[in-house]
Amino acid sequence: MRSVWVFHLDTGACNGCEIELFDALTPYYDAERFGVKLVGSPRHAHAVLATGPLTRQSYHAAKEVIKAMPPKPRIIIAIGTCACSGGIFYNGYPIHRRPEDGRKGSEYPRRGGIDELVRDLRDEGEPVGPVMYIPGCPPRPEEILYGIALLLGLVEKRVRPEEHEAAGLEVGRPPIDERLRLTLRERLRHVIGHFDADRVLEDFMGLVSRAKDEEELHRLVEDYRSRKDERLGACMELIETEYLRWKRGGGERS
Amino acid sequence: MGVTLRYPFVSIEAPPEYRGVPHIDPELCIGCGACVNACPPDALMRIDDLKNGTREIVLDIGRCIRCARCEEVCPTGAVKMTGRFEVASLDRRDHVEVVRLRLVRCEACGEYTDYTERQVVKALQILPEEEYDAEEIKAYSRICRRCRRKLSALGAIEASRRFAP
């Protein structure tokens, strides 16, 4: 297929995906390069761009839309985590779920979203084409372009199912006491949040393993404070104080 | 083409600090399930198989909303958000990541417990050895909850006999 004409079908999305979707159609990202054209009627469409977790209200309308499309190729492009599997709304009361799927359970891949409708339609004997899943909450415009390009065969697939056997008993040992590391991590998390806390703590452990004594550690910390921005510098000072308190007090009893 | 990004034909990097899909490092994961408890949309699951003694930590990035709560709570730093975003696929099974861990087998009754071998190793790392009897704790960690309770009860009975025969 050279060019897909698409119809946008919103099944109860929060409009995050819509914003990204229309971004993908602007001149900067320009999905029309691939022949993607937004059409006003499902009767003209090769594909539906489905967004949203498929609410009970939109279920019947969405069914009508897909039935109104020409029987071939009837491609479904599920945009966003909600359309792929229900997303954050997966067990909400207004979400349509097939009775046998339920809302709990531990099957994987996780069920929900536009899949429920597609399976209903297939059970009714309606022809439905392939479903392209583009997860993301919301997906970036690049992600949407990538999904469409993948559908058109322009790019290679980059994901595959991953299974790992974690058999070894080696869990890794940081340069400082594990108990102390977790304590410092919690302390930092309350000050600057986990994202920066993890980075500062990693840098601090690097300094600890480099420094031979407390004076050298203090010099390294001062050097770090002069290089980084004030927030990270202040946190570094804080955990240095805590670290030394722990060291001198001989553990938690201090 | 002027202003247009030549995207799928040129590769682009995600911006710094972008939250892409998470990834579990199987070398670091201890299977504690902290991420499972934190995950708002249930994209992460902990499935215990008590017959074969395995625990599966399953991550479905097709359900993930990339809130990074799993990264925040992970005690070992095994779950990390990556910059990857090109995860579209025609098959939902491509989105699933499974880490399989071994459960501890109880040395008293031979049944599998509900914690993994790696969790025990990690917990022993955290315990301050000078404050606890390390040998006793190590022995107790290989025993399931029910047997441990039985042992404590028997010990208490034994101790009380000594004082009130």
Side-chain angles (χ1 to χ4, degrees):
Chain A
M1 177 178 295
R2 284 290 175 78
S3 57
V4 270
W5 285 17
V6 295
F7 178 77
H8 175 214
L9 171 67
D10 182 336
T11 59
C14 70
N15 275 355
C17 292
E18 275 71 30
I19 291 169
E20 304 295 320
L21 179 56
F22 295 127
D23 222 11
L25 295 165
T26 55
Y28 184 66
Y29 292 107
D30 203 10
E32 291 198 11
R33 279 177 298 160
F34 316 125
V36 173
K37 185 173 180 289
L38 206 60
V39 294
S41 163
R43 295 191 194 282
H44 300 159
H46 299 121
V48 283
L49 296 171
T51 56
L54 192 70
T55 57
R56 288 173 204 243
Q57 290 271 353
S58 65
Y59 170 78
H60 301 284
K63 202 175 206 175
E64 287 302 305
V65 165
I66 292 175
K67 277 184 179 168
M69 289 167 73
K72 279 191 92 165
R74 264 196 200 175
I75 302 161
I76 316 281
I77 304 176
I79 290 180
T81 298
C82 287
C84 288
S85 67
I88 186 72
F89 304 114
Y90 74 105
N91 62 356
Y93 70 93
I95 306 301
H96 174 85
R97 293 295 292 264
R98 281 158 71 94
E100 74 269 21
D101 283 359
R103 274 145 216 277
K104 299 274 174 205
S106 54
E107 83 294 340
Y108 57 90
R110 304 297 260 157
R111 295 217 173 108
I114 200 75
D115 240 22
E116 308 284 302
L117 173 59
V118 169
R119 281 190 292 149
D120 272 3
L121 283 169
R122 284 195 178 134
D123 286 355
E124 284 173 26
E126 289 281 336
V128 181
V131 186
M132 171 58 78
Y133 299 96
I134 309 178
C137 190
R140 321 173 66 194
E142 283 96 336
E143 221 168 319
I144 298 173
L145 287 186
Y146 173 80
I148 291 170
L150 186 62
L151 188 70
L152 299 175
L154 298 173
V155 287
E156 294 287 308
K157 192 173 78 174
R158 304 248 166 97
V159 281
R160 58 188 170 75
E162 287 187 50
E163 283 205 29
H164 304 287
E165 296 289 335
L169 285 182
E170 198 48 59
V171 291
R173 189 176 266 281
I176 62 176
D177 187 62
E178 176 67 13
R179 189 176 176 80
L180 172 59
R181 187 186 75 87
L182 290 174
T183 313
L184 292 179
R185 187 165 173 260
E186 277 311 291
R187 182 84 178 82
L188 272 186
R189 207 159 66 85
H190 288 114
V191 183
I192 44 169
H194 86 279
F195 187 79
D196 286 325
D198 282 0
R199 282 196 301 183
V200 170
L201 196 56
E202 206 164 287
D203 291 345
F204 181 72
M205 290 197 294
L207 297 188
V208 167
S209 53
R210 262 168 61 200
K212 282 190 275 300
D213 50 19
E214 284 178 16
E215 275 173 32
E216 195 181 349
L217 178 67
H218 188 66
R219 235 178 301 124
L220 287 172
V221 168
E222 285 298 316
D223 177 50
Y224 184 88
R225 284 181 66 192
S226 63
R227 278 186 293 115
K228 298 283 176 156
D229 76 70
E230 229 166 85
R231 279 171 69 243
L232 302 187
C235 289
M236 193 52 115
E237 197 190 4
L238 175 83
I239 51 174
E240 193 208 353
T241 325
E242 294 271 321
Y243 175 69
L244 292 179
R245 196 163 66 89
W246 174 287
K247 281 282 251 193
R248 287 171 189 156
E252 210 181 22
R253 284 170 305 242
S254 59
Chain B
M1 293 281 282
V3 68
T4 306
L5 190 72
R6 295 181 50 76
Y7 167 56
F9 310 110
V10 293
S11 64
I12 51 170
E13 287 279 303
E17 305 191 4
Y18 174 74
R19 289 203 302 254
V21 295
H23 172 70
I24 305 175
D25 186 347
E27 298 294 313
L28 289 175
C29 181
I30 57 169
C32 62
C35 48
V36 178
N37 292 341
C39 186
D42 271 7
L44 277 152
M45 278 176 297
R46 178 183 54 201
I47 304 168
D48 282 358
D49 183 352
L50 291 175
K51 246 188 216 122
N52 299 317
T54 57
R55 165 174 291 180
E56 287 179 351
I57 300 287
V58 183
L59 165 64
D60 184 354
I61 55 177
R63 181 59 91 63
C64 169
I65 57 164
R66 301 167 195 194
C67 60
R69 285 283 288 120
C70 46
E71 188 190 31
E72 184 176 350
V73 298
C74 183
T76 58
V79 188
K80 282 269 177 266
M81 309 304 279
T82 60
R84 277 174 66 221
F85 57 86
E86 289 158 330
V87 288
S89 168
L90 282 167
D91 190 349
R92 281 278 284 117
R93 276 170 296 183
D94 287 339
H95 293 147
V96 178
E97 200 177 317
V98 183
V99 177
R100 215 165 271 124
L101 299 116
R102 269 189 296 128
L103 292 173
V104 174
R105 189 195 272 270
C106 172
E107 280 176 358
C109 65
E111 279 182 26
Y112 284 103
T113 58
D114 56 352
Y115 47 89
T116 63
E117 302 261 8
R118 280 187 179 189
Q119 261 178 292
V120 174
V121 175
K122 190 75 190 171
L124 290 176
Q125 236 181 45
I126 296 169
L127 279 178
E129 279 186 21
E130 68 274 15
E131 288 185 24
Y132 295 94
D133 186 352
E135 286 309 311
E136 194 187 340
I137 290 222
K138 264 176 208 160
Y140 258 57
S141 69
R142 314 290 311 175
I143 298 172
C144 73
R145 276 163 219 268
R146 217 169 340 129
C147 294
R148 220 179 299 159
R149 206 174 296 150
K150 213 182 283 172
L151 269 182
S152 321
L154 287 177
I157 292 169
E158 202 56 39
S160 65
R161 279 225 182 96
R162 244 185 293 149
F163 292 107

